[in-house]
Structures are given as structure tokens and as C-alpha cells.
């Protein structure tokens, strides 16, 4: 008997898909932590509206689990220091324009003294927020209690409800960068096959240089993804995921630099040969074909980097290998035609060789063997650094693995005798 699938209405389907997104999950976690902190503070704090507790919970829960464990203490210290500064000023002088200036100055100085590093500004922010609502008298010290409540709830929320994993967003950023590189390479190839004015070639060079800004944005998304993977109980093999994404971005960054060099070589060639075409018709067609194949290979490489399912990874790897093989064959044909063209017309022969050299570098960076070797090197280096930096953690993990292995052996022995 075949069960009919229920087709949800379009608005419901969009809501179900959207509520699983990391941004929505993070908003729900923050709201939950702030609400719980406020409810607890209502029972424990003598104030009627203990808003410092949900404020602190928001500050603490708006980070990844790794950042909570490594930077959460500094953030809590910053909030507590700001609260104490605000309480002292509220008891002594109250809120005036000159006391506000003193609060900011003293808070920044205290932030440096207690070594909260990048959270120095939060000391002043917390002090100003608390100074505006703190009542003079016995209720002033209730702000410290509310801060501790919010900090505990925020830390507990990050432990019990792990933050979302931002790998999907980082993967989309990497693929988006690869597709922008592909579009640029296609345009460069099309223009190299015909008569290219020097001004248009220079525009393509500026576009290649602007890819550096895209890399900065992708790097920021990748750093957020790396933090969300560290110490996250819902993630297995987080180190491997981090290394795969990071090395993939490094490879794309190198290809971006090489693409910029190719655009610069073609720009110089256009200036030297104007108004003549950059290449002869046959050579130009091969250049366009080669850059098109390299562009497709870059996108396939990005898909391979961001693919986590084994079957999809195998198909992506096969597709990348086929595209690199086709590009290498076109490269060989282009080398032959360029050699013939240079023999007939040796002008700017060094620029022809520069284009071939940079193409070889892209092929080498995208090669599967090169990537496998790079992954192994990074895994060994990360493992070695972790052992040197945290030997106690390495020993604890080894003991845990031994204990699990012994338990599995005992269970297997019990099942065999049963």
C-alpha cells in the first residue's frame, strides 16, 4: 500500500525551512535565554523589573560554544565591572552629564585593568545602561545578582542548547566566490578571443583585484563556522571540517591571485598590440576554451570542498578530475599554437609564456593529489599543535578512547556468551 505524501501549503513549507536556518535558531536561543534569566531574576532580585539579567544573558548567548568557553569569562567580567562602576557612581553622585563622562572614562580604564581585552567597550556600555536604571540604596547591589543570573543562564543555554553550526553559510560563501571567479574568467576568455581594447582589459583587471574584498567576507564567514564547530557536541570530526574548508579557501585565494596576474598579462598584451587582436584566431579560441574549462573546474572544486555526503563528494571529485584533465589537454594544444605563433611573430613572447605559466599554477592548485597532500599536512600540523598546546586534553581523549574500546570489547564478549 502506497502512502500519499502530504503537500504542505507554500507559506507553511517556507516557514518550516526557514525556522531551521542558523539565524532563526540563534534568535530563538537568545530569546529563550533572556526570558529564562528574567523569570529567575524576578524571583531572586528585589527589583520589580530586573532587566540586567536578560541583558547579560543576551550578551553571553550571542556567541558560539567555543567562544563562550574561551571568551565568556572575559565578557562576564566586563559586564560585572561595568555594573560595579555604575553602582559606585549611582551611590555617590547619580546621573548627570559630567558623571556620565566620568563613568565612561573610569569604565574604559577599569576594562584595561581587569584585562577583558576586546570587551573593554562593554564595560562602559554596561555601566551606562545600568547607571540609567539603577536605584540608589539597597537595590543597587541587586544588579550584580542579576548579572550573575544572566551569565549563568547564558552559559547554561550554550551548553544545553548548542549554538547553530554555520558551515552551510560558509559553504555558500565559498561557492559564491567560486562562481564570481568563473564569471570573470569567462568574460576574460571571451575578450581574449577577439579584439580587446586596453581600457576593457584594464576593467577586467580591476574586477580581479576587487575579488580580494570578497575573500575577506568569505574569510569572516569561515571564521564564524570554525568557531561554531569547535567543542560543539552536535558536530563530529569538527577538526576535519575546519581544515577542509580552510584549505579550500586558501586554494581559491591563490587562484584569485593567479587570475589577477593573468588579467594583468592580458592587459599589458592589449596595450602592446592595440589595435591588433591579442592572439591569432585559433590561439584566441583555445585561450577562451581553456579559461572556460578552468572556470568550471574552480566551481567544481568549491562544490567538492563544501560537500559532506560521501556519495556527492565522490561524484564531485570525479567531475573535477575530468574537468582538470580536459583543461590540461587544452593547455597542451594552446602551448603548441602559442609556440607556432611566437615563431612567426616573436613580439611580447614573454606575455604568452606568462599566461601559460599562470594556467599551470591553477591546474596544480586544483589537482586532487595536491589537495590530498595538503589536507594530510594540515591534519598532522593541527594534531601536533594541539598535543603541544594542551597535553592534558590529549591524555584525557586517549583515556576516553581506551575506556570506550574496553566497553565495546566487554559488550561483544557478553553478546557472544549470551
Amino acid at each position: 500500500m502506497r502512502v500519499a505524501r502530504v503537500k504542505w501549503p507554500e507559506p507553511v513549507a517556507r516557514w518550516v525551512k526557514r525556522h531551521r536556518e542558523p539565524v532563526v535558531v540563534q534568535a530563538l536561543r537568545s530569546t529563550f535565554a533572556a526570558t529564562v534569566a528574567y523569570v529567575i531574576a524576578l524571583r531572586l532580585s528585589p527589583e520589580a523589573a530586573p532587566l540586567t539579567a536578560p541583558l547579560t544573558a543576551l550578551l553571553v548567548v550571542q556567541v558560539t560554544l567555543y567562544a563562550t568557553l574561551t571568551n565568556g569569562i572575559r565578557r562576564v567580567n566586563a559586564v560585572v565591572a561595568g555594573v560595579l562602576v555604575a553602582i559606585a557612581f549611582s551611590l555617590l553622585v547619580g546621573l548627570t552629564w559630567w558623571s556620565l563622562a566620568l563613568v565612561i572614562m573610569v569604565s574604559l580604564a577599569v576594562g584595561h585593568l581587569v584585562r577583558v581585552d576586546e570587551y573593554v567597550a562593554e564595560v562602559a556600555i554596561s555601566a551606562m545602561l545600568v547607571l540609567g536604571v539603577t536605584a540608589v540604596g539597597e537595590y543597587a547591589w541587586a544588579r550584580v545578582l542579576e548579572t550573575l543570573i544572566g551569565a549563568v543562564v547564558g552559559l547554561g543555554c550554550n551548553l544545553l542548547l548548542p549554538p547553530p553550526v554555520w558551515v552551510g553559510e560558509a559553504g555558500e560563501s565559498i561557492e559564491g566566490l567560486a562562481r564570481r571567479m568563473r564569471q570573470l574568467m569567462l568574460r576574460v576568455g571571451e575578450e581574449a578571443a577577439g579584439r580587446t581594447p586596453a581600457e576593457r582589459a584594464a576593467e577586467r583587471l580591476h574586477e580581479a583585484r576587487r575579488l580580494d574584498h570578497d575573500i575577506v567576507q568569505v574569510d569572516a564567514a569561515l571564521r564564524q563556522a570554525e568557531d561554531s564547530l569547535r567543542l560543539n557536541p552536535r558536530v563530529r570530526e569538527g577538526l576535519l571540517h575546519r581544515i577542509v574548508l580552510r584549505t579550500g579557501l586558501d586554494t581559491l585565494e591563490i587562484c584569485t591571485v593567479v587570475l589577477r596576474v593573468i588579467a594583468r598579462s592580458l592587459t599589458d598584451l592589449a596595450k602592446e598590440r592595440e589595435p591588433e587582436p591579442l592572439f591569432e584566431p585559433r590561439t584566441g579560441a583555445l585561450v577562451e576554451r581553456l579559461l572556460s574549462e578552468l572556470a568550471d573546474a574552480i566551481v567544481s572544486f568549491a562544490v567538492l570542498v563544501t560537500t559532506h555526503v560521501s556519495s556527492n563528494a565522490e561524484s564531485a571529485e570525479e567531475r573535477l578530475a575530468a574537468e582538470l584533465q580536459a583543461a590540461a589537454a587544452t593547455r597542451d594544444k594552446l602551448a603548441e599554437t602559442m609556440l607556432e605563433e611566437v615563431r612567426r611573430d616573436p613580439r611580447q613572447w614573454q606575455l604568452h609564456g606568462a599566461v601559460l605559466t599562470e594556467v599551470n599554477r591553477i591546474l596544480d592548485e586544483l589537482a586532487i593529489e595536491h589537495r590530498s597532500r595538503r589536507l594530510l599536512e594540515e591534519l598532522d600540523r593541527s594534531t601536533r599543535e594541539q598535543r603541544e598546546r594542551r597535553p592534558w586534553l590529549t591524555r584525557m581523549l586517549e583515556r576516553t578512547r581506551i575506556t570506550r574500546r574496553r566497553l565495546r570489547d566487554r559488550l561483544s564478549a557478553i553478546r557472544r556468551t549470551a
Side-chain angles (χ1 to χ4, degrees), residues 311-357:
S311 58
N312 294 337
E314 292 178 359
S315 61
E317 184 174 335
E318 293 175 357
R319 183 169 61 253
L320 174 61
E323 292 170 348
L324 290 177
Q325 185 177 3
T330 305
R331 184 269 320 272
D332 295 338
K333 294 180 181 178
L334 177 61
E336 295 176 359
T337 57
M338 276 190 173
L339 180 59
E340 296 175 0
E341 182 177 346
V342 168
R343 285 174 177 173
R344 292 190 299 269
D345 184 4
R347 292 180 302 166
Q348 294 86 40
W349 61 268
Q350 68 276 11
L351 295 177
H352 292 74
V355 173
L356 284 176
T357 301

Side-chain angles (χ1 to χ4, degrees), residues 281-409:
R282 182 186 175 190
T283 305
L286 286 174
V287 171
E288 180 181 6
R289 177 181 171 184
L290 177 58
L291 291 180
S292 175
E293 292 171 346
L294 288 178
D296 293 337
I298 286 176
V299 174
S300 298
F301 175 84
V303 173
L304 174 62
V305 168
T306 57
T307 299
H308 305 291
V309 182
S310 59
S311 58
N312 294 337
E314 292 178 359
S315 61
E317 184 174 335
E318 293 175 357
R319 183 169 61 253
L320 174 61
E323 292 170 348
L324 290 177
Q325 185 177 3
T330 305
R331 184 269 320 272
D332 295 338
K333 294 180 181 178
L334 177 61
E336 295 176 359
T337 57
M338 276 190 173
L339 180 59
E340 296 175 0
E341 182 177 346
V342 168
R343 285 174 177 173
R344 292 190 299 269
D345 184 4
R347 292 180 302 166
Q348 294 86 40
W349 61 268
Q350 68 276 11
L351 295 177
H352 292 74
V355 173
L356 284 176
T357 301
E358 302 308 324
V359 166
N360 289 333
R361 289 177 179 174
I362 293 180
L363 290 174
D364 182 65
E365 288 295 330
L366 297 179
I368 297 177
E369 297 80 7
H370 177 81
R371 172 160 179 78
S372 300
R373 184 170 61 254
R374 175 79 187 282
L375 286 176
L376 291 176
E377 292 175 355
E378 288 297 321
L379 280 173
D380 292 340
R381 184 183 63 81
S382 299
T383 304
R384 184 172 60 255
E385 289 180 354
Q386 180 179 350
R387 290 177 178 175
E388 294 175 354
R389 188 168 56 249
R390 300 185 182 91
W392 59 271
L393 180 60
T394 303
R395 290 193 297 268
M396 184 178 66
L397 292 176
E398 291 178 352
R399 292 174 183 174
T400 303
R401 295 192 191 99
I402 294 174
T403 303
R404 290 180 178 176
R405 192 182 308 115
R406 290 177 179 175
L407 288 176
R408 285 196 299 267
D409 294 341

